[in-house]
Amino acid sequence: MKRKKKRARRGGRDSRPVLLNDDEIQAMREAGHLAASLLDDVKNYISVGITTEDIDRRIAKNTEDAGAISAPLGYRGFPKHCCTSVNDVVCHGIPTPSKELKSGDIVNVDVTPILKGFHGDSSRTFEVGDVSPVAKKLVSNTYRALWRGIRAINIDGFTGDIGNAIQVFAEELGYSVVREFTGHGINRIFHTSPTIFHYGASGKGEAISPGMSFTIEPMINLGHWKTDILEDGWTAVTRDGTLSAQFEHTLVITPAGPEVMTLGADEVPPF
Ligand code: MF3
Ligand code: CO
Ligand code: CO
């Protein structure tokens, strides 16, 4: 996800969204499909005792085998192929051999392969071993929050409709929505316009138009929404130490409506 920035930059998230043609949409489909297959594989691989470094190595190998490259590696100095965010880590956790997964953990794995020049960006939060009912509910409701956002997209609507739907859904359940990180436009560029807020008012933001491509990636906390960044300059944690979950899909607005490019092989949308 994208760190909220204060100043406008050319070609950045405050410029007009680029609209993709049919060939470019097809390339987004292929990159998105690869991101989904990387996560389908991780889903089977996750188990008690593996390290987040093990996950990173697996992503690295499968990405290379697919003829793609990992966008996170070297992105603003990020050192690994994917982000692995455990428990109170909100996002941008750095894989490391010292982080072993234990029963009861929840871990978000966020991948972004670049295939034929286009990015597919997706993340899921996985359960490790036996997870508490509270954590299970947070994970499943965060997944539902993502789909609430997707279902709020209207060809005549605005990007603000997405965040509003997510915020209303999450807050009714007593959760909070992280504010410091957003979804983002994505194409040949990893993070570009439009910014997709996961909270706010409907009818605000950019008008939805065919050819737009962006991510939706809500981070939902059990406690307060505020985050801190650790000394490594990347790892975002909940300030109050409570659990946080996240799911992310890359979408393109086609003339027929929103198309989710990063659908899992067995993924059945909840609504
Ligand atoms: N994949 C993340 C996103 O959803 C971005 C990670 S940037 C990195 O936008 F450098 F931390 F990898
Ligand atoms: Co993203
Ligand atoms: Co991502």
Side-chain angles (χ1 to χ4, degrees), residues 16-261:
R16 277 267 110 110
V18 166
L19 302 180
L20 303 182
N21 65 31
D22 287 353
D23 289 346
E24 294 168 323
I25 293 175
Q26 180 55 28
M28 287 296 290
R29 220 170 255 134
E30 289 168 29
H33 183 256
L34 175 57
S37 17
L38 293 174
L39 293 175
D40 286 343
D41 172 78
V42 167
K43 179 191 167 104
N44 297 317
Y45 179 63
I46 294 278
S47 55
V48 174
I50 67 164
T51 68
T52 53
E53 176 79 10
D54 293 331
I55 297 172
D56 194 69
R57 277 205 299 267
R58 202 162 169 103
I59 298 294
K61 177 173 192 310
N62 290 338
T63 300
E64 189 183 341
D65 288 353
I69 60 173
S70 305
L73 186 65
Y75 178 82
R76 299 186 180 192
F78 190 80
K80 296 285 173 172
H81 294 260
C82 64
C83 300
T84 50
S85 303
V86 181
N87 297 338
D88 63 323
V89 178
V90 171
C91 63
H92 299 168
I94 304 173
T96 164
S98 63
K99 186 66 188 177
E100 210 177 87
L101 298 180
K102 55 184 198 308
S103 183
D105 283 346
I106 59 172
V107 56
N108 176 277
V109 180
D110 191 338
V111 300
T112 315
I114 307 173
L115 186 63
K116 298 183 201 159
F118 285 82
H119 293 73
D121 189 3
S122 187
S123 85
R124 301 181 200 163
T125 300
F126 302 101
E127 298 176 7
V128 183
D130 291 320
V131 168
S132 75
V134 167
K136 268 182 191 289
K137 265 195 207 153
L138 175 68
V139 170
S140 69
N141 283 321
T142 302
Y143 177 68
R144 290 152 68 86
L146 165 60
W147 276 96
R148 281 293 181 116
I150 294 171
R151 296 300 187 219
I153 296 171
N154 227 300
I155 206 75
D156 305 318
F158 290 83
T159 52
D161 306 346
I162 298 166
N164 182 259
I166 291 169
Q167 183 177 22
V168 167
F169 177 77
E171 290 182 354
E172 266 175 8
L173 291 165
Y175 302 126
S176 67
V177 178
V178 170
R179 311 276 207 268
E180 294 95 328
F181 302 93
T182 65
H184 50 91
I186 182 165
N187 41 58
R188 293 181 190 275
I189 302 171
F190 196 174
H191 296 109
T192 183
S193 143
T195 294
I196 305 296
F197 294 97
H198 304 116
Y199 62 94
S202 35
K204 302 279 183 188
E206 295 281 346
I208 297 286
S209 3
M212 267 183 150
S213 53
F214 54 81
T215 71
I216 307 178
E217 48 183 302
M219 288 137 278
I220 306 293
N221 298 351
L222 273 187
H224 199 276
W225 55 264
K226 279 193 181 147
T227 64
D228 285 315
I229 308 285
L230 300 187
E231 301 214 314
D232 59 26
W234 281 103
T235 311
V237 297
T238 57
R239 184 165 294 178
D240 63 8
T242 59
L243 284 182
S244 184
Q246 181 182 26
F247 285 83
E248 172 175 26
H249 272 316
T250 294
L251 295 92
V252 176
I253 309 300
T254 76
E259 180 177 333
V260 177
M261 298 307 189

